[in-house]
Amino acid sequence: MLNKVLIANRGEIAVRIVRACQELGIKSVVAYSEADRDSLAVRLADEAVCIGPAAAAKSYLNPPALITAALITGCDGVHPGYGFLSENPYFAEMCADVKLTFVGPSAETMRLMGDKAIGRQTMRAAGVPTVPGSEGELRNLEEAIDIARQIGYPVLLKPSAGGGGRGMRVAYDESDLVRAYPTARAEAEAAFGRGDLLLEKYLTRVRHVEIQVLADRYGHAIHLGERDCSAQRRHQKIVEEAPSPIVTPEVRARMGADAVRGIASIGYVNAGTLEFLMDQEGNYYFIEMNTRIQVEHPVTEMVTGVDLVRWQLLIASGERLTLQQNDIKISRHAVECRINAEDPERDFLPAGGEVEFYLPPGGPGVRVDSHLYAGYTPPRHYDSLLAKIITSGETRDDALNRMRRALNECVITGIKTTIPFQLALIDDPEFRAARHHTAYVGELLRTWKEERSALTAV
Ligand code: ADP
């Protein structure tokens, strides 16, 4: 078993990992930047080490600083959380070089899946359906035009090294594509250090459905069903749920088997997620794999009763995954709202300030993963996630009604949050009827803003 783990992350996920370590009797060391000196993770962990200035490039994205912190505190493992270096194969390799166990898959599998073009080819070779599009990376504009003519418009240009929903461009016809190609390349180069693009059919009115997997190093792998993350704003998830209201047990079994076969083909180890788009007819297409724990993992934990972060640590420690596929029973429904420090009335403008008062919701079926406390000022240098509120219930409606109660109960003063919009979303008739798709929140937001401004004008 790992003895002491360095947490190479911050915010709510650092708190989540500290908690899992404590429950397993593993000592935790939080690596923090100068801006995170007052963070909750620092207070809760056994030890904390400052790894550099606020700028992520000089702290959370700086492998030598993190590795040194792990070594001087006598850690034998590193948990990368999500974001930052969590999907960086070089970091995983550096950890291995100095005999630190990286809590995640091997650098080799991260490299395969970190590149969307290679990831797609690999999954296709394992018989997993993928979105129609380029075989691998596009060689030039002419190739993009050729493929688009074959598969038909609209098409999507996607940075091969991309993430976080950034840098994607839709082209509705050939002149669009000709215009978008150089801009997309330049943007990808600036954002991800690589201009490589792939081209996919742009699927409309689709759902985002992803499968959670766990695999140990002895070749045993299972899936834990799906999460539906179709409630997105600008390709970023804001409300997630499990199970997906549109996935039948039969489709779940088929997708799950595809996912397990896909990861077995690359010898994947630890927790991971395969993301798919699903059309109205229930056809699904792989888009990418995330080789780390995801923000929305709690909804899966709520409906399966399986602690995913605990399993990440156990698997990294060399333990066997004792869960069998038959042990995974999905008997409830869970919903998660990502509470961000953003003003939904001003186009989700990042909001700052000190949290004057904080009262998280409670009661039956409510879980809050957060690093907030009263008097805390979230640093502006990082993402805007303040808290995740997760509710469960016997049915989807129960979970959503409970979410309404939890959002109404939650008090965060001194800083604007996304709660007002999430309250509207969970009671929206289309969302309640589960008829939404990945572009729906954008549409709803427009009417919501009009209604709100009409209200304030009165
Ligand atoms: P990232 O890694 O940047 O998050 P993904 O490939 O995971 O990018 O896609 C993020 C979101 O973008 C998806 O959930 C979906 O809403 C949208 N998207 C991605 N690929 C397609 C596609 N081929 N057609 C339509 N929407 C897509």
Side-chain angles (χ1 to χ4, degrees):
M1 182 68 103
L2 288 168
N3 177 50
K4 196 172 185 182
V5 166
L6 183 92
I7 297 161
N9 216 301
R10 60 172 308 282
E12 68 84 22
I13 195 66
V15 172
R16 171 75 184 89
I17 301 164
V18 170
R19 288 176 172 153
C21 285
Q22 283 173 350
E23 291 174 12
L24 280 168
I26 298 174
K27 289 192 209 67
S28 55
V29 182
V30 162
Y32 66 93
S33 77
E34 281 166 14
D36 276 332
R37 210 172 278 282
D38 300 327
S39 78
L40 186 60
V42 168
R43 293 190 190 193
L44 295 181
D46 294 305
E47 289 173 49
V49 186
C50 184
I51 44 156
K58 296 198 167 144
S59 49
Y60 299 107
L61 288 171
N62 181 4
L66 291 157
I67 296 216
T68 312
L71 293 179
I72 57 170
T73 51
C75 288
D76 53 358
V78 174
H79 196 309
Y82 52 68
F84 295 126
L85 293 173
S86 61
E87 293 183 289
N88 184 314
Y90 300 105
F91 182 56
E93 246 159 28
M94 285 170 83
C95 289
D97 284 347
V98 293
K99 305 269 176 297
L100 286 167
T101 300
F102 180 80
V103 182
S106 69
E108 202 185 322
T109 47
M110 279 163 79
R111 204 163 271 134
L112 282 178
M113 292 299 123
D115 185 300
K116 286 186 211 248
I118 302 177
R120 242 162 58 118
Q121 276 172 338
T122 311
M123 287 302 151
R124 197 180 302 166
V128 181
T130 56
V131 184
S134 55
E135 245 333 293
E137 272 147 22
L138 292 169
R139 280 188 293 273
N140 47 41
L141 174 61
E142 288 64 44
E143 191 188 4
I145 293 172
D146 268 357
I147 298 169
R149 279 186 189 155
Q150 283 162 35
I151 62 176
Y153 287 89
V155 294
L156 183 66
L157 286 168
K158 217 185 236 196
S160 211
R166 288 183 300 152
M168 292 185 285
R169 298 211 150 220
V170 186
Y172 290 91
D173 55 36
E174 199 160 304
S175 61
D176 261 2
L177 182 57
V178 171
R179 261 196 311 274
Y181 187 83
T183 332
R185 275 198 76 91
E187 275 179 8
E189 178 78 47
F192 308 108
R194 269 178 52 197
D196 301 311
L197 300 175
L198 58 149
L199 184 115
E200 281 178 3
K201 174 97 185 159
Y202 184 64
L203 303 173
T204 49
R205 305 188 81 79
V206 280
R207 312 276 292 216
H208 174 117
V209 178
E210 57 187 35
I211 300 277
Q212 175 72 51
V213 291
L214 276 179
D216 68 14
R217 58 170 83 154
Y218 311 102
H220 176 47
I222 59 166
H223 73 87
L224 292 100
E226 78 286 355
R227 294 183 285 263
D228 191 314
C229 314
S230 307
Q232 308 179 345
R233 181 184 158 267
R234 299 198 177 153
H235 304 308
Q236 290 177 15
K237 304 162 186 170
I238 62 167
V239 175
E240 304 97 348
E241 61 187 299
S244 167
I246 60 155
V247 170
T248 60
E250 186 268 323
V251 171
R252 175 172 309 123
R254 204 146 39 84
M255 280 182 102
D258 278 351
V260 168
R261 202 174 56 251
I263 62 162
S265 78
I266 52 169
Y268 190 82
V269 176
N270 218 292
T273 299
L274 286 91
E275 298 189 331
F276 297 85
L277 296 179
M278 186 176 277
D279 66 20
Q280 307 289 320
E281 287 77 47
N283 302 306
Y284 55 86
Y285 308 93
F286 170 84
I287 47 171
E288 68 156 345
M289 177 168 187
N290 290 322
T291 56
R292 52 165 167 83
I293 193 76
Q294 294 206 211
V295 176
E296 60 273 22
H297 75 275
V299 289
T300 300
E301 297 188 323
M302 293 279 263
V303 298
T304 59
V306 174
D307 185 327
L308 292 166
V309 178
R310 181 186 180 92
W311 273 111
Q312 283 196 294
L313 291 161
L314 289 171
I315 288 169
S317 298
E319 300 284 320
R320 281 181 186 276
L321 175 61
T322 49
L323 295 168
Q324 303 303 318
Q325 191 61 59
N326 285 341
D327 297 330
I328 306 303
K329 303 251 177 336
I330 294 153
S331 52
R332 294 175 72 73
H333 201 98
V335 185
E336 172 181 281
C337 283
R338 297 188 188 194
I339 313 302
N340 292 334
E342 290 166 2
D343 184 354
E345 292 190 44
R346 293 173 65 198
D347 220 15
F348 289 75
L349 191 72
E354 182 189 319
V355 177
E356 290 156 2
F357 191 68
Y358 173 55
L359 181 68
V366 178
R367 164 173 167 182
V368 180
D369 279 21
S370 175
H371 56 297
L372 283 196
Y373 58 85
Y376 177 62
T377 304
R380 281 177 160 270
H381 311 271
Y382 314 110
D383 71 17
S384 57
L385 185 65
L386 295 175
K388 303 186 307 204
I389 299 180
I390 309 104
T391 58
S392 69
E394 272 179 42
T395 64
R396 183 171 189 263
D397 266 333
D398 291 342
L400 288 171
N401 292 341
R402 191 164 265 164
M403 181 59 81
R404 184 201 304 119
R405 165 183 71 79
L407 292 175
N408 280 324
E409 226 174 78
C410 182
V411 183
I412 301 171
T413 61
I415 194 162
K416 294 258 191 220
T417 77
T418 41
I419 290 179
F421 178 66
Q422 277 152 333
L423 270 170
L425 175 62
I426 59 160
D427 272 329
D428 172 70
E430 286 295 297
F431 181 76
R432 274 285 169 145
R435 280 195 297 262
H436 60 295
H437 47 83
T438 52
Y440 179 70
V441 164
E443 297 167 15
L444 177 68
L445 198 55
R446 276 190 289 279
T447 42
W448 180 77
K449 274 202 301 207
E450 281 162 20
E451 280 168 23
R452 296 283 279 204
S453 50
L455 272 179
T456 36
V458 169

